[in-house]
Amino acid sequence: MSMDECSKNISNVRNTWEEIMNEVKVTPTMVFSVIGDSDSFVPRPWPTTVFQTALIEAAKCGGETWILYSGSEQWVSKAVRDAYLKYGNREFGTKNLKRLKDDTNRHIKLISITDTKKKGNPIETVVQCSCENEGLDSFLLEFEKFVSEQEVSFFSQRNDFRMPIPIAIIVCEGDVQTVAHTAEALQHRLPVIIMKGSGKAADLILVYLERSDELRKEAGILFGMKFEDTLFSLLKKYLEIIRENKDLVGVFDLNFDDPLKLSSIIGETVVSCWSVEKNLTANKQEVEKDTTQIPQETTSEETINSDVLKDSLAMTSSSITMQQLKKNSMKLEKITIKKLIESYKKQPRRDVLDPSFTSPTSLPLYFYFGFQLLQESNQWEECGHILLLEALKENRCDYVRVLLDRGVKLTKKNLPELYAQTVTCETCKFKKHDCFHMQWILKQILPPEAETLCYKYAHAMKRIQRKESSSDKYEDIIKNLKYDPNKSVAASAKRLCCKILQYKALNIEEQNTNEEAMNTSDTSDILLWAIFANRKEIAEICWLRGTDHILSGLICSVLLHKLSKRALRVKEHCLSEDLEEHAKLFEQRCIKIMDGMYREDTKHAAKAMDDEAVIWGVQTSPLTIAYENFMYEIVAHTCSRKNMNRKWYNKLPPNLIQFFKSAFQKKKQFVTAPLTKYIFNYMMFFTVLVAYSAFVLTSIHTDYYKQGVGKIFEYYVYIWAFGDFVEEAISCFGVLKSESRFRRSYLLRIKRYLNDFWNAVDVLSYILLILALIVRHAVEDIPVARRMFSFSLLIMYLRFLEVFLINHKIGPTLIMIKEMLKDLLRFLLIAFFVVLGVGIYYHANQYPDYQNFWSGGWTEWRIWDLIYYPYWQIYAEINLEYLQAEEPISPGSNNIPPQKDWSVVAVAAAYLLFAHLLLVNLVIAMFSYTFERVQKNSEKLWWYERYTAINDYSWRIPSPINLICTPCRISRKCKGITCCTQDKKKIWSNDGENEDRQTVTTKEYRTELQRMIACSIYNKI
């Protein structure tokens, strides 16, 4: 090519560049050139859908991306055009064609470079070229080279900090001309991506790179044509050039690679090309330097070693990013680098990346460049938090992990922006729309705090950008969101967490006066954000870098589980399933840590279950949080069992015979053991049942009440019941416990208390006893009082069954009965409406136009007769005489004889068939399913119930002895508040206490053991 032709061609290329820039009005940060249009003689289909998805996903990661293609009607161009149309439909919906090619929200530009006339398209840029020299392919190659030499303000809009535009040539299908294009591109150091599996030229290149001896055979098969010797030699020449530059070639397998992986492959190839270009430049300069020097009296070996050393030092003196920036800037100062990295926030946002398919060089290359700048300037403390913030937004787990390991901390001012761009739903208005995403779910839980997290910052920033008159007001709002201890985003997130967990928030406000601590966020703040944003990988990374891994992991699991239930309530099934899966991951990690701790150190593994800590304002322990949230696997774990046995026997031998023998050796320890109190309590309960039974059988009437023995039985029952009620009230509200772990509001405590079956039975027995007393003494209706006392006694006998709950064999049976009662109540609800409907049919046809339904006392209402017959028919009491109207006149029918109706018998037959074959068998099937379910989890359920008893009797005093001790307990509790506070101050201020220092050391040892085991299971669940 002559100099005139070269100048003319470059001029045409520059004109093309300027024409495209005028059309799209934006400089690209990434360019893809898709080549390979050709006529195919081999009918071989290839996965175009994978290619289209991979191309668009990689383009979205590139930022402002141009996609160059020929724009023809051949298969590759058609696939590119369809992919772009799908991108527009997905991004803009029905407004796709209204979003013109220069729209600022259309971050991917489709550019057709063709030599034929083509109809214009509002969303596509068409450039028609004359191509006077060697055709369109040669022109496209020159344009690709020209684009690679152009520069873009990658970090900011400042023209003095520019870098080369990254470009990648994507080869799909193709012919011999495509092979030639690829070879020449590689000679110009342009990165090439081969789409393996697309056939023809793309697959032939890979065949030659892997097994060149089969070139002639594979060429004929892939192209479906005969190769003359001249053409074959030319093809082989091009392929040899490609093999010499194979380090600049990336391969994407359309049949096996995930579409999201293309971004990583392109990034690696682009960086590799820039690196090779740098090496070649360095080597060239070294050669020129050697040729100008006069040879000295040194050996060749010494010269070579000296050159290699100099070359290595030159190579490692500066990163690729710094070399590219130094071309245009004389010096990069600290403030300049900070502005460069921070200005990336203004770039368009991309979709959240899947960390499974990312690498350090994945698109966008901002992270790769930014990391090199920080490494070069060593400004991790000043600028590292900016890169960390962007990595968190885009789910770049590799960079998050490395930055946290380097000690980079997120600042408080970054949290509002992080929540606003990840948790906030951009398409919905916070105060008007219900979008059913995480933003709306949080809004339903605690609206003020959800508004702080998802709305205030974004709203204030929009107002400031509009430069409204009240911008100072919004700047103050943003300042409060960043730094105010009570109004900040961090504090609101913690209060929202406490609300979801239904705990009283503790230590929400920042008490630290250290300026650095007040301005930086620890990993727990990032972890809480990752929970709300449902970022699984980042949540695990931050969880590993925290403390108290079992407790924090269980709180994360509970938090995610409750959010999942909230999402399910609004029928957001996909989000609910995803959150539930995330919750199970944390629970499994905690179980793995507990398994490892039990193998390493059994004693400390058991003690760790009671180690309390404050996490996000929630003060609790692992075993407590697991019990409160019905985490049966945690409560029934071997660590928890060891902990429970230690408490149950009060550190005495966990064997009944040895336990009772220790009563003579360690009396105080034996008396205060929960097992001892449990046995004594139910011994007293049994005596109460005997006295209550004697009282109900003999002394309900007032005549017998005057006898002394009856009074003794009755008053004994009343005294015991009052003492037992006091203990149950303490159990519910936790007012006199030595340490209340269940830090919840009284309303939630009552709700939790009544949700327990045995507690509900306890309350029912108290209510019946009180009602019986009122009826007996105030109303003086002895028959009703006798029924009330008898019913109360019956409930107390049911209460006594709880004594067998701690038995390993009988306990699961009682649990089954309790669960089956729930099934029975559901069955009765269904049966009630069936029975009522059938009873009305019977009565309406046997006693037509009956008027006196509610005459007489309530026991004589006719409604009971309606239910009576169909109910007993469930148990095979058919009552044919009644159905055939042969029964004598009933007392409640006002002497109206029943009328015989054949339809009554017919309906009765159908009802009996339905009731016996369907309803009864249904309840049997429900019982069978419940039996299998409980039997399968009987061990876990039994340990859960046992923990209930252990936690209860660790402080409980059996009635009526507790009535003597309660005043003393109240007095000690009141005094103990001040004493405990003084003791704590003394403990933490006195460094000479060996016992206290040892306690801290053992707890730190358990915390460190958790951390080591947690790190060992990283990325294995």
Side-chain angles (χ1 to χ4, degrees):
M1 183 181 292
S2 65
M3 290 297 295
D4 293 339
E5 290 176 339
C6 181
S7 176
K8 184 178 181 181
N9 198 18
I10 292 175
S11 177
N12 290 338
V13 167
R14 181 174 288 109
N15 291 340
T16 302
W17 169 266
E18 292 174 355
E19 183 180 346
I20 296 173
M21 288 291 294
N22 290 333
E23 291 279 344
V24 300
K25 296 180 174 56
V26 65
T27 305
T29 56
M30 187 73 221
V31 177
F32 296 156
S33 179
V34 183
I35 63 173
D37 278 323
S38 61
D39 295 323
S40 179
F41 299 102
V42 179
R44 178 180 175 181
W46 52 278
T48 55
T49 304
V50 177
F51 165 71
Q52 292 173 337
T53 306
L55 178 67
I56 294 301
E57 291 298 327
K60 288 163 71 175
C61 291
E64 295 293 345
T65 305
W66 289 4
I67 300 179
L68 310 179
Y69 81 123
S70 67
S72 67
E73 294 301 322
Q74 292 175 316
W75 188 245
V76 174
S77 290
K78 185 179 179 182
V80 172
R81 193 181 303 111
D82 291 345
Y84 189 71
L85 184 61
K86 292 176 182 177
Y87 153 76
N89 292 335
R90 184 177 178 183
E91 290 290 320
F92 310 113
T94 58
K95 298 181 180 179
N96 182 22
L97 297 179
K98 297 180 181 179
R99 298 274 187 172
L100 302 180
K101 50 195 169 187
D102 60 348
D103 193 299
T104 55
N105 293 318
R106 189 180 286 275
H107 302 298
I108 302 177
K109 316 293 186 183
L110 184 63
I111 301 169
S112 171
I113 298 179
T114 179
D115 56 355
T116 61
K117 291 185 178 181
K118 188 176 179 182
K119 188 178 179 181
N121 191 326
I123 63 174
E124 177 183 351
T125 302
V126 180
V127 180
Q128 185 176 347
C129 306
S130 58
C131 305
E132 299 175 358
N133 299 312
E134 298 180 6
L136 180 63
D137 196 75
S138 177
F139 178 84
L140 180 60
L141 180 63
E142 291 297 326
F143 184 71
E144 291 166 351
K145 182 182 177 182
F146 179 82
V147 170
S148 68
E149 294 171 351
Q150 303 307 301
E151 294 177 339
V152 62
S153 304
F154 196 92
F155 289 99
S156 67
Q157 300 303 315
R158 295 180 59 176
N159 292 327
D160 51 345
F161 297 109
R162 302 174 69 85
M163 299 186 69
I165 296 175
I167 183 172
I169 299 170
I170 299 176
V171 180
C172 196
E173 283 194 350
D175 51 14
V176 177
Q177 188 63 40
T178 305
V179 179
H181 188 123
T182 303
E184 292 184 37
L186 290 173
Q187 285 182 317
H188 292 302
R189 301 297 163 189
L190 299 179
V192 174
I193 309 297
I194 306 295
M195 290 291 157
K196 183 179 181 180
S198 61
K200 299 180 69 176
D203 285 359
L204 184 65
I205 293 172
L206 296 177
V207 167
Y208 188 78
L209 294 178
E210 294 174 0
R211 48 185 193 279
S212 58
D213 55 331
E214 299 181 7
L215 176 61
R216 184 175 291 275
K217 173 185 174 183
E218 293 294 335
I221 294 173
L222 291 170
F223 286 103
M225 56 184 288
K226 182 179 179 179
F227 281 87
E228 300 294 339
D229 291 341
T230 306
L231 182 60
F232 184 78
S233 299
L234 186 62
L235 176 64
K236 190 172 183 180
K237 175 186 174 183
Y238 290 140
L239 290 172
E240 189 60 35
I241 294 173
I242 294 173
R243 185 161 66 176
E244 290 174 359
N245 297 278
K246 64 180 180 179
D247 292 340
L248 309 182
V249 177
V251 180
F252 179 82
D253 196 326
L254 291 170
N255 293 311
F256 298 101
D257 287 342
D258 191 280
L260 298 176
K261 193 176 179 181
L262 180 60
S263 168
S264 177
I265 295 172
I266 292 174
E268 290 173 358
T269 311
V270 170
V271 171
S272 177
C273 285
W274 285 358
S275 176
V276 170
E277 181 183 357
K278 177 185 171 183
N279 291 343
L280 292 174
T281 304
N283 292 336
K284 182 178 179 181
Q285 292 174 354
E286 189 65 32
V287 170
E288 291 175 353
K289 182 179 179 181
D290 290 342
T291 56
T292 58
Q293 290 179 350
I294 300 174
Q296 302 294 326
E297 295 182 0
T298 57
T299 64
S300 60
E301 182 178 357
E302 291 174 347
T303 304
I304 292 172
N305 291 337
S306 177
D307 292 344
V308 171
L309 178 61
K310 290 179 180 178
D311 184 66
S312 299
L313 291 173
M315 292 293 295
T316 57
S317 63
S318 183
S319 64
I320 297 173
T321 307
M322 194 64 76
Q323 286 288 338
Q324 299 291 351
L325 288 174
K326 284 180 179 179
K327 291 180 181 180
N328 295 289
S329 56
M330 298 297 295
K331 185 178 180 181
L332 290 175
E333 300 177 353
K334 289 186 176 181
I335 188 171
T336 303
I337 292 177
K338 184 174 182 179
K339 288 181 178 179
L340 282 177
I341 297 175
E342 195 167 20
S343 60
Y344 177 73
K345 296 179 182 180
K346 302 176 182 178
Q347 299 294 332
R349 299 265 63 82
R350 285 149 296 280
D351 291 343
V352 175
L353 299 177
D354 187 341
S356 305
F357 306 104
T358 58
S359 67
T361 54
S362 295
L363 302 179
L365 292 174
Y366 160 79
F367 294 101
Y368 185 77
F369 296 152
F371 187 85
Q372 288 194 345
L373 286 176
L374 292 177
Q375 181 67 35
E376 194 87 20
S377 61
N378 196 26
Q379 295 188 44
W380 301 105
E381 185 175 350
E382 296 87 352
C383 309
H385 65 93
I386 304 171
L387 192 64
L388 177 59
L389 173 64
E390 298 303 321
L392 289 171
K393 291 179 187 176
E394 299 191 19
N395 210 32
R396 294 299 297 268
C397 299
D398 44 0
Y399 283 95
V400 171
R401 192 180 302 117
V402 172
L403 291 171
L404 290 176
D405 287 341
R406 284 185 173 271
V408 176
K409 295 182 179 180
L410 201 68
T411 61
K412 295 288 185 185
K413 66 179 182 180
N414 296 140
L415 281 177
E417 182 180 346
L418 183 61
Y419 275 94
Q421 295 194 14
T422 54
V423 182
T424 302
C425 182
E426 297 181 357
T427 59
C428 302
K429 295 183 179 179
F430 182 83
K431 296 185 177 181
K432 294 182 179 180
H433 295 164
D434 295 339
C435 61
F436 303 113
H437 295 143
M438 184 59 72
Q439 170 183 293
W440 188 76
I441 293 170
L442 297 178
K443 179 182 174 183
Q444 301 304 307
I445 298 170
L446 198 60
E449 310 306 338
E451 184 179 1
T452 301
L453 295 183
C454 305
Y455 175 72
K456 285 185 177 180
Y457 179 81
H459 177 70
M461 288 299 297
K462 288 180 181 178
R463 297 286 184 177
I464 292 173
Q465 290 172 1
R466 293 175 185 172
K467 298 181 179 180
E468 296 184 0
S469 58
S470 58
S471 58
D472 293 340
K473 168 188 172 183
Y474 292 107
E475 287 178 358
D476 292 338
I477 291 175
I478 291 177
K479 186 177 180 181
N480 290 334
L481 292 175
K482 292 178 178 180
Y483 304 111
D484 192 289
N486 192 41
K487 299 178 182 179
S488 66
V489 167
S492 294
K494 291 175 183 177
R495 280 193 289 269
L496 193 55
C497 170
C498 293
K499 179 66 176 180
I500 296 171
L501 296 176
Q502 298 179 334
Y503 266 77
K504 288 183 178 179
L506 299 175
N507 302 326
I508 293 296
E509 291 78 12
E510 300 291 340
Q511 302 294 335
N512 202 325
T513 57
N514 186 1
E515 184 177 354
E516 181 182 356
M518 290 180 66
N519 292 331
T520 58
S521 298
D522 56 17
T523 53
S524 66
D525 291 325
I526 306 177
L527 175 58
L528 186 54
W529 161 80
I531 296 299
F532 289 138
N534 197 26
R535 302 284 183 88
K536 298 178 183 178
E537 295 79 9
I538 294 180
E540 183 179 11
I541 292 170
C542 297
W543 172 69
L544 288 173
R545 284 156 179 77
T547 58
D548 299 294
H549 292 81
I550 297 178
L551 178 58
S552 61
L554 291 177
I555 290 178
C556 289
S557 179
V558 174
L559 193 59
L560 286 162
H561 177 69
K562 290 184 178 293
L563 287 172
S564 172
K565 291 175 67 177
R566 290 274 184 173
L568 190 61
R569 289 179 189 174
V570 296
K571 305 300 182 287
E572 191 69 23
H573 296 283
C574 291
L575 178 60
S576 176
E577 291 174 2
D578 204 19
L579 291 169
E580 186 62 30
E581 181 184 351
H582 196 180
K584 290 179 180 178
L585 282 176
F586 269 108
E587 185 176 354
Q588 290 171 8
R589 290 172 190 144
C590 294
I591 291 173
K592 285 289 185 181
I593 295 176
M594 292 162 69
D595 290 338
M597 288 188 69
Y598 194 81
R599 289 191 296 267
E600 291 279 342
D601 194 327
T602 304
K603 178 181 177 182
H604 284 284
K607 288 183 177 180
M609 301 307 295
D610 279 334
D611 285 343
E612 284 199 356
V614 179
I615 297 177
W616 301 321
V618 176
Q619 182 175 353
T620 185
S621 65
L623 194 52
T624 302
I625 193 74
Y627 171 76
E628 284 194 314
N629 293 279
F630 306 99
M631 304 177 78
Y632 297 107
E633 291 192 15
I634 303 297
V635 176
H637 193 273
T638 47
C639 293
S640 303
R641 296 182 187 184
K642 195 79 174 178
N643 179 284
M644 283 188 265
N645 285 331
R646 184 169 170 268
K647 292 179 181 178
W648 187 236
Y649 294 96
N650 202 16
K651 302 179 183 179
L652 294 174
N655 179 277
L656 285 178
I657 298 175
Q658 298 296 327
F659 177 75
F660 284 113
K661 285 183 178 180
S662 63
F664 303 99
Q665 302 169 354
K666 302 177 180 179
K667 297 179 181 178
K668 184 178 179 180
Q669 207 168 343
F670 175 82
V671 171
T672 56
L675 176 57
T676 306
K677 292 189 282 185
Y678 186 86
I679 295 172
F680 184 76
N681 180 71
Y682 278 96
M683 287 174 60
M684 298 298 296
F685 194 179
F686 182 76
T687 60
V688 169
L689 286 178
V690 173
Y692 200 3
S693 300
F695 161 64
V696 170
L697 290 172
T698 63
S699 305
I700 296 296
H701 200 278
T702 53
D703 294 338
Y704 299 104
Y705 174 69
K706 295 177 182 179
Q707 297 179 5
V709 177
K711 286 183 179 180
I712 294 173
F713 290 159
E714 184 177 4
Y715 288 144
Y716 178 57
V717 171
Y718 297 157
I719 294 170
W720 179 90
F722 178 72
D724 192 63
F725 176 77
V726 170
E727 292 300 311
E728 291 295 330
I730 295 172
S731 173
C732 179
F733 298 105
V735 289
L736 293 181
K737 293 183 183 180
S738 60
E739 184 178 5
S740 178
R741 291 184 175 179
F742 306 99
R743 294 179 172 88
R744 296 185 172 183
S745 65
Y746 289 134
L747 182 62
L748 290 173
R749 289 172 188 261
I750 294 172
K751 183 179 177 181
R752 174 60 191 264
Y753 177 83
L754 294 177
N755 279 337
D756 186 275
F757 172 78
W758 299 105
N759 291 336
V761 173
D762 294 344
V763 173
L764 181 60
S765 68
Y766 301 141
I767 293 173
L768 290 174
L769 184 59
I770 293 170
L771 290 176
L773 278 171
I774 294 172
V775 171
R776 183 163 181 258
H777 294 284
V779 183
E780 295 186 355
D781 190 340
I782 301 304
V784 175
R786 183 177 290 107
R787 296 189 193 106
M788 298 295 292
F789 277 114
S790 301
F791 194 27
S792 172
L793 179 60
L794 172 61
I795 297 300
M796 292 187 70
Y797 270 102
L798 293 178
R799 281 186 63 187
F800 190 77
L801 292 176
E802 192 177 2
V803 70
F804 303 111
L805 200 60
I806 65 165
N807 185 276
H808 208 168
K809 294 183 178 179
I810 304 177
T813 304
L814 290 174
I815 296 173
M816 288 179 190
I817 294 173
K818 181 185 72 173
E819 294 298 318
M820 287 179 180
L821 280 174
K822 298 177 183 178
D823 295 334
L824 186 60
L825 290 175
R826 299 188 191 101
F827 167 77
L828 289 176
L829 181 63
I830 298 171
F832 171 76
F833 289 98
V834 176
V835 167
L836 186 61
V838 172
I840 291 174
Y841 186 89
Y842 290 170
H843 196 278
N845 290 277
Q846 286 186 316
Y847 298 94
D849 301 326
Y850 190 88
Q851 300 293 324
N852 300 319
F853 263 91
W854 312 103
S855 61
W858 67 273
T859 58
E860 298 175 0
W861 290 347
R862 193 62 176 172
I863 189 69
W864 310 125
D865 287 338
L866 262 68
I867 300 173
Y868 177 85
Y869 292 102
Y871 176 76
W872 289 109
Q873 282 176 339
I874 295 177
Y875 310 110
E877 190 69 33
I878 301 176
N879 294 308
L880 278 176
E881 297 84 359
Y882 171 78
L883 297 175
Q884 294 176 349
E886 296 176 355
E887 188 182 57
I889 298 173
S890 59
S893 59
N894 293 331
N895 297 321
I896 301 175
Q899 297 182 10
K900 189 172 183 180
D901 191 327
W902 64 269
S903 66
V904 172
V905 179
V907 170
Y911 166 66
L912 290 172
L913 183 69
F914 174 77
H916 286 192
L917 296 184
L918 184 62
L919 288 182
V920 175
N921 283 285
L922 173 64
V923 74
I924 293 172
M926 292 168 65
F927 287 163
S928 299
Y929 172 75
T930 301
F931 177 83
E932 292 175 1
R933 177 173 57 85
V934 175
Q935 186 67 25
K936 182 180 179 181
N937 301 302
S938 60
E939 189 76 9
K940 300 173 185 176
L941 295 171
W942 181 78
W943 278 101
Y944 183 85
E945 294 293 344
R946 191 180 188 197
Y947 180 76
T948 304
I950 293 171
N951 182 67
D952 196 10
Y953 283 89
S954 60
W955 54 266
R956 190 181 187 117
I957 300 175
S959 177
I961 299 174
N962 67 319
L963 296 177
I964 302 173
C965 304
T966 299
C968 182
R969 290 166 70 186
I970 295 173
S971 175
R972 291 181 59 185
K973 182 67 178 178
C974 295
K975 293 179 181 179
I977 294 174
T978 307
C979 295
C980 291
T981 307
Q982 292 174 352
D983 290 343
K984 287 181 182 178
K985 290 179 180 178
K986 182 179 179 180
I987 287 172
W988 290 109
S989 61
N990 189 352
D991 295 331
E993 293 286 336
N994 294 330
E995 184 178 352
D996 297 331
R997 185 165 60 250
Q998 185 176 359
T999 303
V1000 173
T1001 304
T1002 54
K1003 187 173 181 180
E1004 288 177 350
Y1005 163 73
R1006 291 194 291 270
T1007 303
E1008 181 64 18
L1009 186 60
Q1010 292 178 46
R1011 188 191 66 81
M1012 291 188 294
I1013 297 174
C1015 292
S1016 68
I1017 65 170
Y1018 170 67
N1019 214 17
K1020 293 182 180 179
I1021 298 178

